[in-house]
Amino acid sequence: MRYMPIAKVDAGMVLGQGILDREGEVMLAKGTLLGQEETRSLVDMGVSGIYIEDAASSGLEVPGLISQALWQEALRLVYDLFQEGDAPEVGQDDIIDVARRMTKELLAGRGLLYNRMDIRAADDYTFFHAVNVAALSVMLGIQTENLDLEELTMLAAAGLVHDVGRRYVEEAVLNAKRALTEEERMLVVQHAKLSYDYLKEHYDFAPEVLAGVLEHHEWYNGCGYPMRRSGYEISYFARIIKIADVFDALTSKVPYHDPVSPSGAVDYILANTGAEFDPDLAELFVKKIAIYPAGCQVELSDGRDALVLENSPESLLRPKVRVLPDGEVVDLQEAKDLAVLELKV
Ligand SMILES: [Fe+2]
């Protein structure tokens, strides 16, 4: 399968990965032959790209951080968590169960890089974001080598619920394509505290989960919110979630901005270490992000286009690629006279 930016998606292409709705249901199944109507509806939904199957990418699989089945289950859980009503529909055990299974899958794939472009509709951002932040947080948590299975599970749970306070903010405000009014902005800013209050009232989570949620918008230099905590005053979980949160937000298509490439998001994080982000954690995080994700098209320094086949954590700028359209495979770790010029997404 290969990644195809939405502008290049055409009728007649075959889906290489199913497209999920916000409830975790398969909206368009893997293997679907796209017609005009499907193509148009993907554009209307604000999907920034899809994975397709074609001859050039045949045999290429791009593993996600967690399996598609678990993604679906986690999405369903988050969707239920965000439903209105006084009493939550989701039990704490259900959250921890999904968090633990996510953690186990991530631990099983220890060496995995974040190598995948995320496929989601712009309006479904809140739900996909929660699941991806949980997965990315655990990926970073594993890298620190400081956390055991139970702690990583709590970190995943904190990731899944970190934005639950957004249930009090209307969708029209969350998805606004315009600048927010001062009142609306205040409401958005309060969501970390609202999340914390909601969890404290309805659940019995460990203090580190609650702190991770409450402080996930604090900045390392003390310029964040809601308490303007700085440095190690900010809990470990919150410093981890903060990085995952910003990375996912930047690389997603949301109603108010187009996605930034993985390298753009890595640049942003590196440029803001010590200000927004804990420098040690940020350094560990960026080592796990594929700059040129597998399945993406790139331009090589000799002007040829190529498809990224494989990344190795030791050399994130020099993947193994297949030149298009003739199929020659080049390992850029060996072919030092060549380099990737840019990611074409
Ligand atoms: Fe948030």
Side-chain angles (χ1 to χ4, degrees):
M1 66 198 224
R2 69 188 287 193
Y3 183 74
M4 195 53 70
I6 196 71
K8 292 188 184 154
V9 172
D10 254 330
M13 289 181 173
V14 175
L15 262 189
Q17 187 203 328
I19 298 191
L20 303 178
D21 69 13
R22 57 173 61 182
E23 295 179 59
E25 299 291 332
V26 177
M27 206 160 32
L28 279 175
K30 179 182 162 110
T32 301
L33 176 66
L34 296 177
Q36 294 289 359
E37 204 177 309
E38 284 91 2
T39 311
R40 210 172 310 124
S41 77
L42 288 169
V43 174
D44 291 345
M45 284 188 301
V47 172
S48 49
I50 58 172
Y51 281 96
I52 63 156
E53 288 296 354
D54 69 357
S57 63
S58 89
L60 173 59
E61 286 304 318
V62 185
L65 289 177
I66 59 171
S67 63
Q68 180 87 346
L70 191 49
W71 245 103
Q72 287 183 253
E73 224 182 303
L75 264 179
R76 176 81 224 181
L77 178 103
V78 170
Y79 177 80
D80 288 344
L81 197 65
F82 274 80
Q83 291 318 292
E84 282 168 35
D86 294 334
E89 289 186 12
V90 184
Q92 182 160 328
D93 290 351
D94 301 325
I95 299 170
I96 292 181
D97 175 55
V98 167
R100 182 170 292 116
R101 282 186 288 134
M102 287 177 74
T103 303
K104 285 185 174 167
E105 285 199 7
L106 274 141
L107 280 167
R110 245 172 197 287
L112 272 189
L113 289 170
Y114 188 69
N115 210 354
R116 194 71 172 276
M117 306 296 280
D118 204 18
I119 310 301
R120 55 175 100 162
D123 284 350
D124 295 345
Y125 169 75
T126 302
F127 310 98
F128 283 72
H129 176 69
V131 179
N132 213 27
V133 167
L136 288 166
S137 296
V138 174
M139 181 187 81
L140 174 52
I142 292 170
Q143 276 294 95
T144 68
E145 297 183 358
N146 285 330
L147 302 170
D148 64 20
L149 173 64
E150 273 322 291
E151 291 164 323
L152 289 167
T153 299
M154 291 305 129
L155 177 59
L160 288 169
V161 301
H162 79 285
D163 267 345
V164 70
R166 289 169 71 115
R167 71 209 306 286
Y168 296 111
V169 186
E170 280 174 53
E171 203 155 339
V173 173
L174 291 176
N175 292 336
K177 292 187 177 78
R178 52 176 172 79
L180 297 179
T181 66
E182 187 54 23
E183 199 180 321
E184 289 168 343
R185 212 183 58 79
M186 288 312 293
L187 196 60
V188 172
V189 165
Q190 276 171 16
H191 81 272
K193 176 75 164 71
L194 291 171
S195 300
Y196 171 85
D197 289 344
Y198 181 81
L199 294 171
K200 214 162 154 60
E201 185 180 341
H202 294 292
Y203 294 94
D204 185 27
F205 278 112
E208 61 267 33
V209 173
L210 293 172
V213 171
L214 178 63
E215 300 169 351
H216 79 270
H217 285 284
E218 296 288 2
W219 282 30
Y220 196 72
N221 66 3
C223 289
Y225 61 84
M227 289 160 307
R228 299 178 74 90
R229 289 197 172 143
S230 63
Y232 285 12
E233 288 169 10
I234 307 166
S235 72
Y236 198 48
F237 277 17
R239 280 179 277 138
I240 290 176
I241 293 170
K242 165 77 179 157
I243 299 172
D245 179 45
V246 170
F247 179 83
D248 183 76
L250 286 173
T251 52
S252 302
K253 182 170 171 65
V254 288
Y256 41 89
H257 74 71
D258 279 337
V260 169
S261 68
S263 70
V266 163
D267 277 351
Y268 180 88
I269 289 171
L270 291 176
N272 289 285
T273 56
E276 270 191 67
F277 310 108
D278 176 324
D280 297 331
L281 290 172
E283 199 182 311
L284 285 177
F285 184 80
V286 300
K287 286 188 186 147
K288 297 295 281 182
I289 304 297
I291 301 295
Y292 305 117
C296 287
Q297 190 170 325
V298 291
E299 185 183 339
L300 300 178
S301 51
D302 62 1
R304 292 184 295 173
D305 284 335
L307 185 70
V308 179
L309 298 177
E310 236 179 83
N311 274 287
S312 94
E314 294 75 43
S315 186
L316 291 172
L317 294 173
R318 308 194 68 81
K320 188 188 273 186
V321 302
R322 180 184 292 157
V323 176
L324 298 170
D326 66 347
E328 182 199 348
V329 173
V330 181
D331 187 342
L332 294 175
Q333 283 191 70
E334 284 154 22
K336 300 282 190 204
D337 52 329
L338 271 180
V340 176
L341 215 55
E342 63 166 339
L343 181 68
K344 293 198 145 178
V345 292

